[in-house]
Amino acid sequence: MLNVNHIRKRFGQLQALEDVSFNIRKGTCYGLLGPNGAGKSTTIHSISGILAPDSGSILIDGTDLYSHTAACKRKMGVVPQEIALYEDLSAWNNLLFWGSLYDMSKQDTLKRAAILLDWVGLADRKNDLIAHYSGGMKRRINIAAALMHDPDLILMDEPTVGIDPQSRNHIYTMLQDLRKEGKTILYTTHYMQEAEELCDEIGIIDNGQVIASGTLEELRHQHPIEESLHVHFSESVTTLTDLPWTHQWEQDHKKLIISSRQTHKDLAAVIQFLDSRQISPEQIKFIPINLETIFLHLTGRTLRD
Amino acid sequence: MWQIAKKDLYIFFADKKALFLTLLLPIGLITLFAFAFGGVGQSASEPNPVILQYSDLDNSPASAALIARLDSISGIRMEAVDTAAGMENIRKGNRIALLVIDQGLEPALAQQSALPAHLFFDESQAMEVSILQNMLRGMLGQMRATAAPAPESAGHQEPEASNLQMVSVVGDETSNWGLIQAVAGTAIMMLLFSVSAIGASIIEEKEQGVLRRLLQSPQPAFSLLNGKLIFATIIALFQLVVMFLFAWMAFGLPVGMNLPGLILMIVVTALCCSSFGVLLASVADSKRQADSLGTIIILFMSAIGGSMIPLYIMPGFMQDIAVISVNYWSIQGFYDIFWRQLGIEALTENVLILLGYTVVLLTLSYYFFRRKALRL
Ligand SMILES: Nc1ncnc2c1ncn2[C@@H]1O[C@H](COP(=O)(O)OP(=O)(O)O)[C@@H](O)[C@H]1O
Ligand SMILES: [Mg+2]
């Protein structure tokens, strides 16, 4: 459905996109995970046909985006990172206006707007001005406005940033609905859990480069990272010199990190071992291989910084 | 682009504050200026050398002497014309006055009887005309004194002053140039303000990310600009129509006098002002910049173009640069309609120049819009 091939984009001195490539199969959800400033929005702008990359190509259903822009744009619905709605119009009128840009019949527009308002759970407030909505409600209308023309390919740029957990969950449900309808989705985020839980495939983007791509399983196996157990003690422990696992000490011997490929099995053994030495840990944490650890492994930084 | 204009109109009419600013504020100003200019006072300033047309039907040594003496005054240049052409020049606003000297100047001077001289003039140029009038009266008085010294016993006699017959050529009782000045001048200035606010909303849409979303739709990139232009033109038409209706109902401005001409001027003025607003939005980098740039340009154009101060009380060089402003051509058009009471064909020059401005402003708008607004 969507092929992004080695796109590059420079803003003055700044190489915003260094080399971005990924493919999204029809009916799947692809998560683009990266910290702020990684180039997620720039990638979305390029794919939505408003920012031609300096080089590389973008194909929508095999058609080159920048040579058949209008036709490709009709297949796409773009949910921008910012709330791009008219504050002085009601939710209902916003939907009608955004729908009117896609040459739909009056009847279809009205029908579609009613369905979407119902779907986002704001049908009873449809005549309120957007200005009077809460952040989470605006976000939902922001999504609905992109879906008026019922596009097959949906680009969502960090649609859950800065909203309350309840609205966030509502948006997750909406995303599941879209997946069930067979939509193809590109979802950018800097939340690791969102990428893990919502997406079929994930690309990790950093400094304008997609540095890893695949299913979570594939990403786990692509990288020689081990799961680990973090054992915390209330006092420094210096007596444990004969540990049978690969390990290292941190925080002045108050924290023990045990690496393993089968942590869940090793956990019992570790507890038993400590018990036999009459040392009781304050806390034991199970650290799985997740996107956070993969990102850390790839960049030496956490997603937060 | 029609959707965009429609949506903006909807928002506009829902916004009471915008309606107030577009309608009530200009109406208030028109009322104020109408009273201010209604009984126009003389203000001291350095006028242009005045061209005084004359038609010497007397053709006597006395009339030749009068003309020569007038011509020798530094502020006045004499121009010989025939009476009909001279009157036409005044009507069209090309000249402000015509001195007609009929036969029998010399005997009339000597006999202290009514002088066979008429000064035809344009009342909207009241200040210059009154200067001319005073000079003429003074001069005729001197000539009369030399021709027939008044006997001392007769005491004070000032026959000369009343002997020059003043005839207003342009306008009539139904038209009041102060009102025309107030309506046309204010309406255009306020119009520029409201369209520049509309233009600034383009920038606001860019800042809010709405422009980007519009561009993500399959609509052509310029549809936003075109939509705003349509919107601004409709608001401008609406505003001008309300202004003139108000002037008609409140002050009796005879709007029906040359309705086709009035409609034509309203339409080209609305188009020209709207393209100014759109250009402003395309050039400015931020809403704040658009607002301040707009205010400066509008105040400047309004000041030199005769929106705030009637042109004729400005010094000559100011009147010469007035032609660069949109206001000038528009206001002069309305003067032609209501004051000079000319037909629609007299507006050709004003209309063409305003349309020319529109084309130039729009071309620049598209150029800057492509260069700036479309860069994300
Ligand atoms: N129009 C622009 N002009 C200049 N620099 C830009 C522009 N848009 C984005 N950038 C820069 O490109 C980089 C990537 O930005 P962006 O794609 O918005 O990141 P993300 O969405 O992942 O947070 C950032 O350093 C940002 O400052
Ligand atoms: Mg972003």
Side-chain angles (χ1 to χ4, degrees):
Chain A
M1 180 88 200
L2 173 68
N3 310 91
V4 178
N5 305 314
H6 303 289
I7 58 170
R8 293 167 64 81
K9 181 74 200 177
R10 171 181 282 277
F11 294 117
Q13 289 295 305
L14 182 93
Q15 190 72 45
L17 298 184
E18 183 72 48
D19 178 11
V20 173
S21 298
F22 56 87
N23 300 307
I24 309 183
R25 284 174 293 116
K26 207 172 184 61
T28 63
C29 177
Y30 187 91
L32 196 58
L33 175 72
N36 282 332
K40 301 182 294 295
S41 295
T42 308
T43 305
I44 295 266
H45 295 156
S46 295
I47 299 173
S48 62
I50 57 171
L51 186 74
D54 301 331
S55 62
S57 66
I58 297 167
L59 305 181
I60 312 272
D61 270 342
T63 311
D64 183 67
L65 169 63
Y66 283 93
S67 31
H68 298 89
T69 315
C72 288
K73 280 177 172 174
R74 284 178 196 282
K75 295 181 185 168
M76 280 191 269
V78 188
V79 181
Q81 182 172 0
E82 61 276 15
I83 311 276
L85 299 169
Y86 290 101
E87 296 262 319
D88 302 328
L89 286 181
S90 65
W92 175 253
N93 282 326
N94 259 288
L95 291 187
L96 296 190
F97 172 71
W98 293 109
S100 73
L101 301 177
Y102 289 86
D103 310 326
M104 299 158 68
S105 74
K106 182 90 193 158
Q107 208 182 358
D108 286 351
T109 313
L110 294 173
K111 214 157 70 186
R112 185 78 184 147
I115 292 173
L116 287 173
L117 275 169
D118 215 30
W119 179 61
V120 300
L122 291 169
D124 52 332
R125 304 215 29 197
K126 67 174 189 173
N127 291 321
D128 290 8
L129 298 189
I130 293 293
H132 301 156
Y133 273 23
S134 74
M137 289 153 75
K138 288 181 189 177
R139 285 262 166 222
R140 283 185 256 161
I141 299 293
N142 204 34
I143 296 176
L147 303 177
M148 279 298 289
H149 58 298
D150 201 11
D152 289 330
L153 175 62
I154 301 166
L155 314 179
M156 300 175 113
D157 196 2
E158 305 206 42
T160 60
V161 165
I163 57 172
D164 58 285
Q166 202 191 337
S167 292
R168 184 172 293 189
N169 285 331
H170 198 124
I171 290 178
Y172 294 157
T173 317
M174 285 161 58
L175 197 76
Q176 297 306 342
D177 291 341
L178 292 173
R179 295 186 53 176
K180 276 186 220 137
E181 284 176 39
K183 303 291 185 195
T184 310
I185 301 166
L186 171 59
Y187 188 101
T188 78
T189 180
H190 66 266
Y191 297 123
M192 158 198 97
Q193 288 108 318
E194 287 192 347
E196 275 183 10
E197 289 165 19
L198 305 172
C199 305
D200 303 302
E201 283 187 46
I202 296 152
I204 297 178
I205 184 170
D206 189 41
N207 289 328
Q209 232 170 336
V210 175
I211 49 181
S213 182
T215 62
L216 188 55
E217 231 13 70
E218 285 166 354
L219 290 175
R220 278 187 177 138
H221 289 101
Q222 275 166 19
H223 303 285
I225 317 172
E226 288 180 310
E227 295 180 334
S228 57
L229 290 170
H230 290 190
V231 188
H232 296 260
F233 304 99
S234 47
E235 289 165 8
S236 296
V237 176
T238 46
T239 50
L240 295 174
T241 47
D242 53 344
L243 282 166
W245 303 280
T246 326
H247 68 281
Q248 72 190 79
W249 287 95
E250 274 182 10
Q251 295 173 6
D252 195 20
H253 279 250
K254 277 189 187 170
K255 180 179 173 186
L256 169 67
I257 298 173
I258 297 171
S259 305
S260 110
R261 278 253 165 213
Q262 40 177 347
T263 334
H264 49 294
K265 281 183 192 156
D266 287 334
L267 182 59
V270 169
I271 293 173
Q272 212 171 15
F273 182 85
L274 291 174
D275 203 36
S276 69
R277 302 294 168 92
Q278 292 182 339
I279 296 172
S280 47
E282 193 178 54
Q283 192 187 36
I284 302 184
K285 266 199 239 168
F286 166 59
I287 308 292
I289 306 177
N290 60 21
L291 291 170
E292 185 77 55
T293 46
I294 294 173
F295 187 83
L296 185 68
H297 169 80
L298 287 170
T299 65
R301 287 177 289 121
T302 66
L303 267 170
R304 307 274 144 215
D305 11 279
Chain B
M1 79 197 180
W2 294 103
Q3 311 90 311
I4 292 169
K6 191 174 135 203
K7 173 261 306 166
D8 280 323
L9 282 169
Y10 183 92
I11 295 178
F12 177 82
F13 283 106
D15 183 356
K16 302 290 173 291
K17 204 175 82 197
L19 264 178
F20 170 80
L21 284 176
T22 322
L23 298 181
L24 289 187
L25 184 62
I27 282 177
L29 282 177
I30 285 177
T31 310
L32 199 80
F33 280 125
F35 286 120
F37 297 141
V40 115
Q42 261 85 340
S43 151
S45 95
E46 194 64 32
N48 245 353
V50 174
I51 299 174
L52 175 58
Q53 308 179 104
Y54 68 93
S55 169
D56 183 3
L57 305 176
D58 187 32
N59 220 345
S60 65
S63 65
L66 173 64
I67 291 159
R69 287 179 70 173
L70 283 169
D71 208 18
S72 70
I73 297 171
S74 67
I76 297 180
R77 229 178 68 216
M78 299 301 287
E79 185 180 79
V81 290
D82 71 61
T83 311
M87 299 284 263
E88 190 59 21
N89 284 339
I90 298 175
R91 251 183 228 110
K92 288 194 167 151
N94 298 333
R95 294 289 181 267
I96 64 165
L98 166 66
L99 175 66
V100 177
I101 307 168
D102 290 321
Q103 281 179 0
L105 180 65
E106 208 151 359
L109 283 169
Q111 288 159 21
Q112 308 280 328
S113 63
L115 291 174
H118 294 77
L119 186 67
F120 297 88
F121 65 97
D122 178 349
E123 201 182 318
S124 70
Q125 310 291 329
M127 205 191 62
E128 288 171 353
V129 170
S130 82
I131 291 172
L132 275 178
Q133 187 186 3
N134 288 333
M135 284 180 174
L136 270 167
R137 282 178 173 170
M139 205 156 288
L140 289 167
Q142 282 175 21
M143 289 174 74
R144 174 161 274 174
T146 7
E152 265 164 57
S153 57
H156 263 63
Q157 211 185 350
E158 291 174 2
E160 69 277 6
S162 53
N163 272 340
L164 176 67
Q165 293 165 44
M166 303 290 294
V167 184
S168 169
V169 173
V170 193
D172 55 34
E173 321 76 59
T174 61
S175 58
N176 166 347
W177 78 265
L179 175 62
I180 299 162
Q181 168 67 37
V183 176
T186 312
I188 290 148
M189 179 167 75
M190 296 317 288
L191 186 61
L192 285 170
F193 275 116
S194 38
V195 296
S196 73
I198 292 170
S201 73
I202 297 184
I203 298 181
E204 208 167 30
E205 297 200 351
K206 185 185 175 187
E207 288 172 355
Q208 287 170 355
V210 187
L211 172 63
R212 190 181 279 151
R213 187 169 215 161
L214 284 166
L215 296 175
Q216 275 156 347
S217 82
Q219 299 293 328
F222 286 125
S223 60
L224 175 71
L225 203 62
N226 295 333
K228 288 287 178 185
L229 183 68
I230 293 170
F231 169 57
T233 308
I234 291 173
I235 294 299
L237 287 172
F238 173 69
Q239 192 179 12
L240 282 175
V241 167
V242 172
M243 297 300 102
F244 279 97
L245 282 179
F246 171 76
W248 172 53
M249 290 189 293
F251 299 110
L253 184 76
V255 289
M257 194 155 62
N258 179 357
L259 203 53
L262 179 60
I263 292 172
L264 180 67
M265 276 311 295
I266 285 181
V267 169
V268 290
T269 300
L271 268 175
C272 191
C273 290
S274 307
S275 37
F276 167 77
V278 170
L279 172 62
L280 194 63
S282 307
V283 172
D285 289 319
S286 66
K287 181 161 185 300
R288 187 179 300 184
Q289 201 184 60
D291 287 340
S292 46
L293 194 66
T295 308
I296 292 168
I297 297 178
I298 292 169
L299 290 181
F300 176 73
M301 286 210 302
S302 301
I304 65 162
S307 263
M308 296 192 235
I309 311 161
L311 266 185
Y312 74 87
I313 42 176
M314 297 193 201
F317 80 94
M318 293 271 298
Q319 299 188 18
D320 293 339
I321 56 172
V323 298
I324 64 168
S325 72
V326 169
N327 305 53
Y328 173 84
W329 294 103
S330 195
I331 293 173
Q332 291 307 313
F334 290 116
Y335 264 104
D336 283 349
I337 294 173
F338 291 113
W339 179 250
R340 306 190 204 295
Q341 304 182 353
L342 303 178
I344 196 165
E345 62 289 338
L347 302 171
T348 313
E349 187 188 22
N350 303 57
V351 167
L352 287 181
I353 286 175
L354 287 172
L355 287 179
Y357 262 116
T358 307
V359 170
V360 171
L361 292 173
L362 279 184
T363 310
L364 290 174
S365 302
Y366 284 114
Y367 173 76
F368 282 110
F369 190 70
R370 179 182 289 279
R371 276 202 33 189
K372 289 195 160 177
L374 295 186
R375 278 206 0 216
L376 298 159

PDB file of all heavy atoms in Angstrom, chain A residues 40-41 81 157-158, ligand 2:
ATOM      1  N   LYS A  40       9.661  12.388  12.562  1.00  0.00           N
ATOM      2  CA  LYS A  40       8.376  11.713  12.330  1.00  0.00           C
ATOM      3  C   LYS A  40       7.409  12.605  11.556  1.00  0.00           C
ATOM      4  O   LYS A  40       6.840  12.189  10.546  1.00  0.00           O
ATOM      5  CB  LYS A  40       7.736  11.316  13.677  1.00  0.00           C
ATOM      6  CG  LYS A  40       8.603  10.391  14.527  1.00  0.00           C
ATOM      7  CD  LYS A  40       7.906   9.983  15.816  1.00  0.00           C
ATOM      8  CE  LYS A  40       7.660  11.127  16.781  1.00  0.00           C
ATOM      9  NZ  LYS A  40       8.895  11.745  17.326  1.00  0.00           N
ATOM     10  N   SER A  41       7.251  13.841  12.034  1.00  0.00           N
ATOM     11  CA  SER A  41       6.300  14.732  11.364  1.00  0.00           C
ATOM     12  C   SER A  41       6.760  15.058   9.949  1.00  0.00           C
ATOM     13  O   SER A  41       5.957  15.132   9.025  1.00  0.00           O
ATOM     14  CB  SER A  41       6.124  16.022  12.165  1.00  0.00           C
ATOM     15  OG  SER A  41       5.540  15.730  13.411  1.00  0.00           O
ATOM     16  N   GLN A  81      -0.402  16.400  13.779  1.00  0.00           N
ATOM     17  CA  GLN A  81       0.034  16.394  15.174  1.00  0.00           C
ATOM     18  C   GLN A  81      -0.667  17.500  15.968  1.00  0.00           C
ATOM     19  O   GLN A  81      -1.053  17.292  17.109  1.00  0.00           O
ATOM     20  CB  GLN A  81       1.555  16.597  15.213  1.00  0.00           C
ATOM     21  CG  GLN A  81       2.126  16.567  16.608  1.00  0.00           C
ATOM     22  CD  GLN A  81       3.647  16.583  16.585  1.00  0.00           C
ATOM     23  OE1 GLN A  81       4.274  16.614  15.528  1.00  0.00           O
ATOM     24  NE2 GLN A  81       4.239  16.564  17.748  1.00  0.00           N
ATOM     25  N   ASP A 157      -0.274  11.398  13.157  1.00  0.00           N
ATOM     26  CA  ASP A 157       0.956  11.931  13.732  1.00  0.00           C
ATOM     27  C   ASP A 157       0.749  12.212  15.222  1.00  0.00           C
ATOM     28  O   ASP A 157       0.121  13.194  15.598  1.00  0.00           O
ATOM     29  CB  ASP A 157       1.356  13.202  12.985  1.00  0.00           C
ATOM     30  CG  ASP A 157       2.804  13.588  13.246  1.00  0.00           C
ATOM     31  OD1 ASP A 157       3.492  12.847  13.969  1.00  0.00           O
ATOM     32  OD2 ASP A 157       3.245  14.633  12.713  1.00  0.00           O
ATOM     33  N   GLU A 158       1.279  11.343  16.044  1.00  0.00           N
ATOM     34  CA  GLU A 158       1.180  11.460  17.508  1.00  0.00           C
ATOM     35  C   GLU A 158      -0.211  11.911  17.963  1.00  0.00           C
ATOM     36  O   GLU A 158      -0.358  12.962  18.586  1.00  0.00           O
ATOM     37  CB  GLU A 158       2.238  12.438  18.026  1.00  0.00           C
ATOM     38  CG  GLU A 158       3.643  12.048  17.567  1.00  0.00           C
ATOM     39  CD  GLU A 158       4.734  12.545  18.509  1.00  0.00           C
ATOM     40  OE1 GLU A 158       4.521  12.438  19.728  1.00  0.00           O
ATOM     41  OE2 GLU A 158       5.776  13.002  18.025  1.00  0.00           O
TER      42      GLU A 158
HETATM   43 MG    MG C   2       6.214  15.631  15.296  1.00  0.00          MG
END
